[in-house]
Amino acid sequence: MKVATSNAPVHKRIGALRHFWNLTGESSQAEQWDALAATASIDIAAARMLEPHLDALGILAEAGADAPPHDSTWGVYAAESPGKALTADTQADGSATLSGTKAWCSLAADLSHAIVTAFDGREPRAYAVSLSDSRVHPSDEAWPSVGLSEIPSGSVGFDHAPATAVGAPGWYLQRPSFAWGGIRVAACWFGGAMGIARKATQYHFARPYPSPLGNLVLGQIDAEIFAARSTLSHAATLINSDVIESRDEAWKLALRVRNIVYRSAQRIQLLARELAGPAALTGDRSFAKADADLTVYLSQHHGPRDEAALGEEIADCRAMG
């Protein structure tokens, strides 16, 4: 796992991690989540590189598309931002051209391909596109973030760039497995929190006389880790048992898992800071970097808005009888 913390180019890190974990687009969710959590516990940025690549491989496999080149590296760009829009002109054979701007495109200058969502009519549709095409223009603006500094996430301009449709209009968002991508990110949060907790525990036990209050915090951390791990394990069991058939059921599960893991990761991070003490944040570069990385990664969650979304899903189900 040295590659996870190396300074190797992004494509080599992704390829080595995928090979190490022996992951494909058809790997089970449990296999993917375990690999991502373990990777994030060592280096959160490395997991952040690997996660969308696995997502893209799964999308292509589910759509029945040809397997991508073995040495290709992929991103998934589906975020929408006010004032920036990507449109597609799609032909009957699935070939298309993309025009406009897509926001929040992580590592666009370092990856070979991406799956992007664009509008061809009223519904968004997924498209596979080569990022090395001359008609694709990643932003060269500086990425000032301290957390996840290795993952620049600027916008990308498309000037009639050739692309290929992946699935029918609306398929990308309506498939139940769309929700599994949300849980995949949560597995990275969990792994990142575990890594910080591990470092904090090392500080605690390195002290000549570990305090009872420190042991109390250690117990609180352990309980949060158990809760988050159990939640992910239960979700994997439900998915493997094929009891979740609809997109609505899948999304409710994803919201439950993400909310639980998000809150647990937040609390583990806070408790780990207390357990490690200020010396870790001010004098241990790896601890401070992991703390900043996790803070930025957790910010991708919508917090109370996602909790409200879960409540709305439950209320809608009740209203429908």
Side-chain angles (χ1 to χ4, degrees):
M1 288 289 286
K2 287 184 179 180
V3 69
T5 56
S6 75
N7 292 320
V10 169
H11 70 277
K12 289 189 176 180
R13 295 179 73 178
I14 292 174
L17 286 167
R18 178 187 170 191
H19 177 75
F20 179 85
W21 293 114
N22 192 29
L23 295 171
T24 71
E26 297 179 345
S27 297
S28 71
Q29 298 305 314
E31 290 174 319
Q32 295 183 43
W33 301 348
D34 287 347
L36 288 167
T39 301
S41 73
I42 298 170
D43 189 298
I44 297 171
R48 179 64 182 82
M49 295 175 189
L50 180 61
E51 186 279 321
H53 179 74
L54 296 179
D55 190 19
L57 296 185
I59 293 166
L60 293 169
E62 189 175 357
D66 293 337
H70 183 72
D71 60 349
S72 61
T73 50
W74 290 72
V76 177
Y77 306 143
E80 301 296 342
S81 178
K84 294 181 179 179
L86 188 62
T87 59
D89 182 9
T90 312
Q91 305 303 310
D93 64 356
S95 63
T97 55
L98 304 180
S99 300
T101 303
K102 195 70 173 175
W104 299 108
C105 298
S106 300
L107 296 169
D110 298 288
L111 303 176
S112 65
H113 295 77
I115 290 176
V116 302
T117 55
F119 285 87
D120 187 359
R122 298 181 62 183
E123 286 191 287
R125 189 172 186 177
Y127 295 86
V129 60
S130 170
L131 296 174
S132 61
D133 190 277
S134 61
R135 288 155 287 189
V136 177
H137 309 288
S139 170
D140 58 1
E141 293 181 5
W143 177 245
S145 178
V146 175
L148 294 179
S149 57
E150 308 94 323
I151 318 290
S153 300
S155 60
V156 175
F158 295 83
D159 183 13
H160 300 285
T164 302
V166 179
W171 171 83
Y172 171 77
L173 293 176
Q174 293 304 318
R175 60 200 170 92
S177 56
F178 173 76
W180 310 156
I183 300 178
R184 193 182 301 112
V185 170
C188 295
W189 298 339
F190 171 60
M194 279 200 306
I196 292 175
R198 183 186 302 126
K199 288 178 170 52
T201 301
Q202 292 168 351
Y203 272 93
H204 177 60
F205 287 123
R207 296 181 177 116
Y209 304 101
S211 72
L213 286 178
N215 289 338
L216 168 64
V217 174
L218 186 63
Q220 293 173 326
I221 289 174
D222 181 75
E224 292 291 348
I225 289 175
F226 181 82
R229 179 183 285 120
S230 297
T231 298
L232 288 165
S233 177
H234 181 59
T237 298
L238 291 175
I239 293 170
N240 290 338
S241 64
D242 293 326
V243 298
I244 298 175
E245 298 179 349
S246 71
R247 190 267 187 194
D248 289 345
E249 291 174 333
W251 192 236
K252 277 193 294 185
L253 176 63
L255 286 172
R256 288 167 180 150
V257 172
R258 282 171 61 89
N259 288 330
I260 291 170
V261 174
Y262 172 73
R263 294 299 181 192
S264 287
Q266 273 191 322
R267 188 152 191 260
I268 291 168
Q269 182 181 26
L270 177 62
L271 291 169
R273 290 171 180 165
E274 293 181 4
L275 187 63
L281 283 171
T282 59
D284 185 336
R285 184 177 181 84
S286 66
F287 187 95
K289 178 66 166 63
D291 182 76
D293 286 348
L294 183 59
T295 298
V296 171
Y297 212 165
L298 286 172
S299 72
Q300 293 185 6
H301 186 59
H302 299 137
R305 282 187 290 166
D306 274 12
E307 292 169 335
L310 176 58
E312 290 169 3
E313 290 281 347
I314 295 169
D316 288 345
C317 289
R318 185 177 185 274
M320 293 174 63

